[in-house]
Amino acid sequence: MAGKISAERDGGYIRVAVPDIYRGMTASEALRLMGLDIDLPCGGNGRCGKCSGYIETVTDGVKKVMPVKLCRSAVPNEGAVTVGFPETLLLGGTNVDVSGENCDACGESESSDGFLAVDIGTTTVEAVLKCCGRTLGHFAGLNPQKKYGADVISRIAFSKTPGGLERMTGDIRLCINNMLEAGRKKHPGLKIGNVYIAGNTTMQHLFMGVSPESMGHYPFTPAFTEARQLKGAEIGVNAENVTVLPSADAFIGADVVAGAELYLEDPDLPPTLFIDLGTNGEMVLKSGGRYYATSSAAGPCFEGANISCGTGGIEGAISDVKDSERGLVIGTIGDKAPVGICGSGLLSLVAVLLERGVIDETGLMEEDLEICGFLKTPGGEKPVQTGISLTRKDVREFQLAKAAIRTGVEILLEKAGLEAKDIETVYTAGGLGTHIDPSAAIRTGLLPPEFKGKCKAPGNTSLYGATAAGDDPTFLEKASALALKFETFSLNDAKNFSEKFIDNMYFD
Ligand code: FES
């Protein structure tokens, strides 16, 4: 962070006093120069409206507050200026929930065995602080690398620019050090000696400072997949030891291997599918003791990118839409006022609109639609006009993403010589998978109808895997052995991919 800045939290917002030297710059640029990077989903060109905040000026004792797009609004030339923005926009910010309870098993000392388990997602970074089996804190924030691109392809592209790799590596390590610092502040006596990292293969490369360039083109070969164990001092992480969990290939990362180790390890398991639904749809099918794995490029639509009013899974994101006789019933994360629509909200909204016939089987919608109805609040349902729209282009984006996932599932099943009805259980993990409404997934064709009643959403399995590595000394070895058993293949090599993909664009 540049110099000392004066910032405070205020009702979900961060307020920052802006020094005179930043007058005339855009608010987002001033914040950046002060060391506060905020998320600019459309690159700061004023199109998406997702960088809403406010500029407050006090001139001769008169206060004025102006709602603004931070990427387009200049810091005024007069008055004492404060810029306010939602905490959820802060890249690398850690919405810290440190319980404050001490570990009563070891009493927290220099001989404690505290550790930080981290899931580095393309969009979000989530971590837990653990000791003696207890969770002492939880951290979540946007991945600070998001400013360089929404998906792994754009991060790989940025890594090839001068200094690009070093910047992304520095940003993610700083983010983790900030989490460690916050944990130590709350638990000053606790020794946090270990950090365990799980993420997709590109995120693991960027964390390690290893170029992911070779994964950006055929034959998509990662520089490493094996687990890495090293001293924190070697890589500028403020913990004694750092462990990076093993991946299987460029598209089947440690996040998926960890989930598979946790949920597919039973040798007598009937055919079971594990799908990580986030920016990509990574999937593993275990059948007859074999692990078939592939990845479909769904694009960042389910993370809110490329959707006109899309947003990640942040507070206020519309996450659930149901139909009722009175109209749409709209649920948001944290029961907050709607700020956008996230993947699960998009999925449930499209399912409702298909049922109503507003969207036809080809994906045609007569006109863009504002989402209005009744907002679920802690005090009951209240009429709402959200000002958040679903456009015809959004529906097309959704069709592309759902067709990619469904096609991946079908080809994976073919590879294993199975049909959808043969699958006993479907675990859905990842940003969308955790909050997915299986009936909406089936209604929209994201998943086949034969999966009805078989879906389970265990949560952030990548984080659980990183945690298991800290809790169980044998986990790393088991996950490493499992990663070698994966039979991975590229959907591009499947002869019937295009045909299936086009079929799956339709809504049945
Ligand atoms: S980032 Fe400001 S409008 Fe898109």
Side-chain angles (χ1 to χ4, degrees):
M1 204 168 285
K4 189 146 176 70
I5 64 163
S6 169
E8 58 183 9
R9 286 192 151 89
D10 180 19
Y13 275 68
I14 295 176
R15 289 169 51 82
V16 186
V18 182
D20 290 348
I21 50 164
Y22 301 118
R23 290 187 193 278
M25 292 180 189
T26 62
S28 58
E29 181 63 2
L31 290 170
R32 190 183 71 77
L33 292 171
M34 286 189 278
L36 297 167
D37 272 314
I38 59 165
D39 191 20
L40 301 174
C42 69
N45 62 24
R47 267 190 298 112
C48 71
K50 293 177 187 171
C51 61
S52 307
Y54 63 82
I55 293 179
E56 179 187 295
T57 54
V58 181
T59 311
D60 298 331
V62 179
K63 181 160 100 176
K64 268 206 229 159
V65 181
M66 293 260 303
V68 295
K69 286 179 188 171
L70 297 163
C71 70
R72 306 304 284 176
S73 305
V75 176
N77 284 320
E78 292 187 347
V81 181
T82 300
V83 170
F85 61 91
E87 282 185 43
T88 48
L89 281 184
L90 186 62
L91 295 178
T94 49
N95 297 322
V96 181
D97 169 21
V98 185
S99 68
E101 282 168 28
N102 291 340
C103 177
D104 46 16
C106 67
E108 298 191 359
S109 70
E110 265 310 296
S111 56
S112 301
D113 212 5
F115 68 87
L116 188 75
V118 188
D119 162 44
I120 307 178
T122 310
T123 306
T124 53
V125 182
E126 197 176 350
V128 286
L129 175 62
K130 301 258 313 187
C131 187
C132 303
R134 290 153 176 76
T135 300
L136 304 184
H138 180 246
F139 309 79
L142 291 173
N143 187 326
Q145 299 164 345
K146 198 164 177 272
K147 56 184 173 282
Y148 309 119
D151 52 32
V152 293
I153 301 299
S154 44
R155 302 271 169 90
I156 291 172
F158 188 76
S159 75
K160 291 190 263 180
T161 63
L165 174 62
E166 292 74 14
R167 281 167 72 180
M168 288 193 283
T169 300
D171 281 359
I172 190 61
R173 290 179 184 171
L174 177 65
C175 173
I176 289 166
N177 279 337
N178 286 342
M179 291 175 174
L180 286 165
E181 193 184 321
R184 288 185 177 121
K185 223 176 195 168
K186 281 277 183 182
H187 299 273
L190 177 72
K191 180 181 173 201
I192 309 173
N194 285 284
V195 173
Y196 296 91
I197 305 279
N200 65 52
T201 314
T202 302
M203 293 306 113
Q204 306 240 94
H205 277 57
L206 296 179
F207 171 75
M208 287 297 298
V210 175
S211 170
E213 191 182 340
S214 56
M215 290 188 284
H217 52 79
Y218 191 82
F220 309 106
T221 312
F224 72 95
T225 54
E226 73 283 0
R228 294 271 171 106
Q229 291 179 286
L230 55 165
K231 296 283 168 206
E234 290 173 46
I235 55 169
V237 171
N238 299 331
E240 202 173 317
N241 304 301
V242 176
T243 301
V244 176
L245 273 64
S247 306
D249 78 1
F251 300 111
I252 303 293
D255 46 357
V256 177
V257 172
E261 176 55 37
L262 289 171
Y263 293 92
L264 304 181
E265 89 292 8
D266 179 353
D268 301 321
L269 203 68
T272 301
L273 182 61
F274 177 93
I275 312 182
D276 189 310
L277 283 171
T279 314
N280 284 320
E282 292 137 347
M283 42 194 97
V284 185
L285 171 55
K286 182 174 184 189
S287 173
R290 293 172 69 173
Y291 296 82
Y292 305 90
T294 194
S295 164
S296 67
C301 141
F302 293 134
E303 306 273 2
N306 296 347
I307 298 296
S308 55
C309 292
T311 183
I314 60 173
E315 286 202 340
I318 295 175
S319 55
D320 176 44
V321 180
K322 293 269 184 305
D323 211 355
S324 78
E325 281 176 6
R326 292 191 303 156
L328 298 180
V329 178
I330 299 157
T332 61
I333 296 178
D335 291 330
K336 294 284 174 6
V339 297
I341 186 162
C342 67
S344 60
L346 180 66
L347 180 73
S348 56
L349 177 62
V350 171
V352 166
L353 297 179
L354 282 167
E355 276 304 298
R356 282 188 177 189
V358 176
I359 298 175
D360 75 12
E361 72 279 2
T362 67
L364 183 73
M365 187 168 73
E366 290 290 327
E367 52 190 20
D368 298 349
L369 174 122
E370 188 190 342
I371 307 168
C372 310
F374 295 85
L375 182 68
K376 286 194 228 167
T377 72
E381 292 173 6
K382 305 227 164 89
V384 68
Q385 283 199 304
T386 62
I388 290 160
S389 300
L390 181 77
T391 67
R392 284 163 290 180
K393 182 173 167 294
D394 295 339
V395 177
R396 295 296 178 211
E397 291 286 344
F398 177 86
Q399 284 179 280
L400 289 168
K402 74 109 182 172
I405 302 287
R406 175 67 176 269
T407 304
V409 170
E410 290 180 359
I411 293 176
L412 189 61
L413 286 165
E414 274 181 14
K415 201 83 176 172
L418 297 175
E419 294 178 31
K421 67 175 173 45
D422 300 325
I423 299 296
E424 285 277 322
T425 306
V426 180
Y427 289 106
T428 60
L432 173 63
T434 300
H435 303 288
I436 201 170
D437 171 358
S439 60
I442 289 170
R443 177 62 188 92
T444 57
L446 177 80
L447 297 177
E450 293 84 354
F451 287 179
K452 189 171 173 208
K454 298 176 175 175
C455 296
K456 291 184 183 166
N460 185 345
T461 53
S462 176
L463 183 62
Y464 300 161
T467 307
D471 281 333
D472 171 4
T474 67
F475 186 87
L476 193 64
E477 201 180 314
K478 287 189 290 189
S480 297
L482 174 62
L484 298 175
K485 289 187 197 161
F486 277 48
E487 299 176 40
T488 59
F489 65 95
S490 164
L491 290 176
N492 294 330
D493 296 338
K495 286 198 195 77
N496 52 355
F497 177 83
S498 307
E499 193 188 317
K500 278 188 180 294
F501 184 85
I502 290 165
D503 270 1
N504 285 326
M505 285 281 288
Y506 288 89
F507 297 110
D508 297 328

